[in-house]
Amino acid sequence: MNSAFASNYELLLSAISELELQKDSFVLRPGVDFSRKRKISFQDTILSLLTMQGGSLSTTFHDFFHHRNPADIPSLSALHQQRAKLLPDAMRYLFYHFTQKLSAGHTYDGFQLLACDGSDLNICYDPADKESCKPSGDGKRGSNQLHLHALYDLCNKRYTDIRIEKTMVSNESRALVQMLENIKSPAETIILADRGYETYHVFAHIMAKGLSFAIRTKDISRRGGISYGFRLPDRELDVDLEFFITRSTVHSKRDPVHYKKLSPSSVFDFLDLEKDGKQAVYPMKLRMVRFLLDTGGYECIVTNLKRDAFPPWKIKELYHLRWGIETSFRKLKYSLGLSQLHSKKAGYVEQEIYARVILYNFCESVTPHVSTHQKKTKYTYQVNFTMAVHICKAFLQKSSPTIPPHIETLLLRYLVPVKPGRKFPRTKKRKGFVSFAYRVS
């Protein structure tokens, strides 16, 4: 009955065990840390990080250890001491090792769809940290933020790669280029991204890696977009853009349609072209699809996908699927509590971020396999993800060697209707860090 839960639970414990075998590579003092028997073992330390909730640290600590005998319950200070022994690379290793073990059976016409995007995470206020302190702009106190860059598998609903940077020094294009190196099957992968990744540098890296992409760009009439200056008609389009990237101002001024000037430190250094020749050029061919929205406006998508295999309607469908990463950020922050961190130290914060992403991948790998009997009703139903997270946390906190047979039954008690096609205006409201003194019990 619990085959999906059991198999993924075994994969998680196996990844933790392999991490423990190599713990000397991920602790501050190799050969000393986690060498003695303590009330909080290495596995307990990892699982306590994975199951942290949004409340206070004391209540989270109690939920994890309350099933033990009173004499065997450690102190909260003991947990801090165990966490301090771990390097941030420990949770990073566990994330990659566990995620790579998960089965990925769903594709889009044989392609893996990876959406790339980022989200800001509020952390404890520290005006001395200029790299993360973001000014408010209205004379009020600013806020400290980290930026989470992520590659998200849309078909299998899991994060395949993440990067954590401080907001004021974060760079989305650079983070995407770094994450491209870990993609295992480039010929069968499509990268989907929003307008923040509209740069020739990103396009060149993706194509050099052998990947496909569909990235939203600015409209043809807006300055700064790659399609601006091509003198395209104001209607729906599906055209090829052929041009040269050059360092020379001579070409770009003489023929701005077919020559695009870039700074010397951008795409040329990556392509290893001649650095001493001002006439060095790099040919680039892209396809631009412009389609009309229901609201009356237009959207432009730049891609290198073949026109016969991916007509405009399919490109539009691909970009629509990209919204899955936005909903995953919402689940990550509010269903798993990433918006309420328990730490001030940078190393602890990174531990918690990786722990939440690992737990997200674990829960999303379990819920699709729960068999829901669909009745003849207006909507189809799926497992409530928030309750699935709560149930998975409760089980992982006990770290039982046997899996109770009622877990799937519990998941089936909490179903929600699937309502496709609903549209709501996107509202952006600034939210600050939740103080440690104002956490729910």
Side-chain angles (χ1 to χ4, degrees):
M1 179 180 290
N2 295 312
S3 57
F5 188 95
S7 60
N8 289 296
Y9 177 65
E10 290 172 0
L11 288 178
L12 180 59
L13 292 187
S14 174
I16 295 175
S17 298
E18 292 179 22
L19 176 62
E20 186 173 7
L21 291 175
Q22 307 176 49
K23 62 179 181 292
D24 286 344
S25 301
F26 303 103
V27 295
L28 287 174
R29 298 176 300 170
V32 177
D33 293 336
F34 294 105
S35 60
R36 297 176 60 186
K37 186 176 181 180
R38 304 282 186 179
K39 289 184 178 180
I40 304 179
S41 64
F42 183 88
Q43 179 174 297
D44 288 340
T45 305
I46 300 297
L47 289 176
S48 65
L49 289 172
L50 294 178
T51 57
M52 277 186 173
Q53 302 179 29
S56 67
L57 192 57
S58 297
T59 56
T60 299
F61 182 80
H62 171 76
D63 290 340
F64 188 83
F65 293 103
H66 78 278
H67 63 280
R68 295 188 178 184
N69 295 325
D72 296 330
I73 296 179
S75 64
L76 188 57
S77 175
L79 178 62
H80 285 300
Q81 295 175 34
Q82 295 294 78
R83 286 187 65 181
K85 298 175 182 177
L86 289 173
L87 295 173
D89 287 342
M91 298 305 293
R92 188 181 303 120
Y93 171 87
L94 182 61
F95 164 71
Y96 288 115
H97 202 57
F98 172 66
T99 303
Q100 290 170 3
K101 288 186 174 183
L102 294 174
S103 60
H106 300 286
T107 60
Y108 180 89
D109 291 346
F111 286 90
Q112 179 188 31
L113 300 185
L114 294 182
C116 184
D117 208 341
S119 182
D120 289 328
L121 305 174
N122 292 307
I123 58 176
C124 191
Y125 181 62
D126 180 12
D129 188 358
K130 301 300 182 182
E131 292 185 347
S132 67
C133 190
K134 189 175 183 179
S136 64
D138 54 4
K140 297 181 180 180
R141 189 180 81 169
S143 61
N144 289 71
Q145 292 180 335
L146 298 178
H147 195 76
L148 176 65
H149 306 277
L151 273 181
Y152 184 75
D153 187 339
L154 295 166
C155 297
N156 296 285
K157 295 185 178 180
R158 71 185 59 146
Y159 291 96
T160 61
D161 204 349
I162 64 172
R163 291 290 187 278
I164 304 168
E165 293 182 332
K166 294 182 179 180
T167 296
M168 301 307 292
V169 294
S170 67
N171 186 293
E172 291 183 323
S173 298
R174 179 183 61 206
L176 173 56
V177 169
Q178 292 172 351
M179 291 187 289
L180 292 177
E181 300 302 320
N182 294 329
I183 297 178
K184 302 300 181 182
S185 54
E188 302 170 354
T189 302
I190 301 176
I191 304 294
L192 305 175
D194 210 346
R195 285 182 297 211
Y197 303 89
E198 180 191 358
T199 66
Y200 296 112
H201 190 62
V202 168
F203 300 153
H205 271 274
I206 293 177
M207 291 189 290
K209 181 73 176 177
L211 295 158
S212 302
F213 67 91
I215 297 178
R216 182 186 176 194
T217 66
K218 294 179 181 178
D219 201 10
I220 60 176
S221 59
R222 294 187 59 184
R223 289 183 177 273
I226 68 167
S227 58
Y228 184 80
F230 278 95
R231 306 187 184 97
L232 298 172
D234 188 11
R235 56 179 173 80
E236 290 190 318
L237 298 169
D238 183 5
V239 297
D240 292 327
L241 304 179
E242 299 186 41
F243 52 93
F244 298 93
I245 297 176
T246 178
R247 288 182 178 161
S248 173
T249 57
V250 176
H251 286 301
S252 57
K253 289 181 178 179
R254 183 188 306 163
D255 190 358
V257 176
H258 296 102
Y259 289 89
K260 306 296 179 182
K261 180 182 178 297
L262 279 91
S263 61
S265 61
S266 57
V267 70
F268 285 96
D269 293 338
F270 161 67
L271 296 169
D272 197 25
L273 295 179
E274 296 181 10
K275 297 182 180 181
D276 56 347
K278 291 186 178 180
Q279 304 301 319
V281 294
Y282 174 69
M284 184 172 283
K285 180 178 179 180
L286 300 173
R287 174 187 169 202
M288 194 195 75
V289 179
R290 187 175 188 245
F291 50 83
L292 184 65
L293 299 175
D294 297 337
T295 57
Y298 287 92
E299 287 292 359
C300 291
I301 306 293
V302 169
T303 181
N304 63 343
L305 292 167
K306 303 298 183 182
R307 188 173 283 105
D308 54 347
F310 289 88
W313 67 267
K314 210 166 188 178
I315 298 294
K316 184 177 180 180
E317 181 181 82
L318 275 177
Y319 187 75
H320 179 72
L321 293 174
R322 189 207 66 88
W323 192 253
I325 192 173
E326 302 287 358
T327 58
S328 75
F329 284 142
R330 182 185 62 196
K331 293 177 182 178
L332 198 60
K333 288 183 176 181
Y334 302 108
S335 297
L336 285 101
L338 190 56
S339 61
Q340 295 181 326
L341 300 170
H342 299 82
S343 311
K344 293 183 180 180
K345 294 183 178 180
Y348 283 12
V349 169
E350 189 170 340
Q351 284 179 359
E352 292 192 41
I353 293 174
Y354 274 101
R356 299 295 193 283
V357 178
I358 292 169
L359 186 62
Y360 177 92
N361 285 353
F362 177 82
C363 295
E364 280 288 19
S365 63
V366 170
T367 52
H369 297 281
V370 178
S371 177
T372 57
H373 179 67
Q374 303 293 340
K375 299 180 181 179
K376 293 183 179 180
T377 55
K378 182 178 180 180
Y379 301 109
T380 58
Y381 286 80
Q382 66 182 9
V383 175
N384 186 321
F385 183 76
T386 302
M387 286 306 301
V389 170
H390 181 75
I391 293 171
C392 290
K393 278 185 177 181
F395 176 77
L396 291 174
Q397 285 171 344
K398 297 179 181 178
S399 61
S400 173
T402 59
I403 300 175
H406 61 271
I407 288 183
E408 183 172 333
T409 305
L410 279 175
L411 293 175
L412 288 173
R413 289 180 62 88
Y414 303 99
L415 301 178
V416 292
V418 180
K419 299 179 180 180
R422 294 195 303 170
K423 296 181 180 179
F424 300 96
R426 188 180 184 184
T427 57
K428 292 185 178 181
K429 185 178 179 180
R430 186 172 183 176
K431 298 180 181 180
F433 180 73
V434 181
S435 173
F436 298 125
Y438 293 92
R439 299 294 176 89
V440 295
S441 62

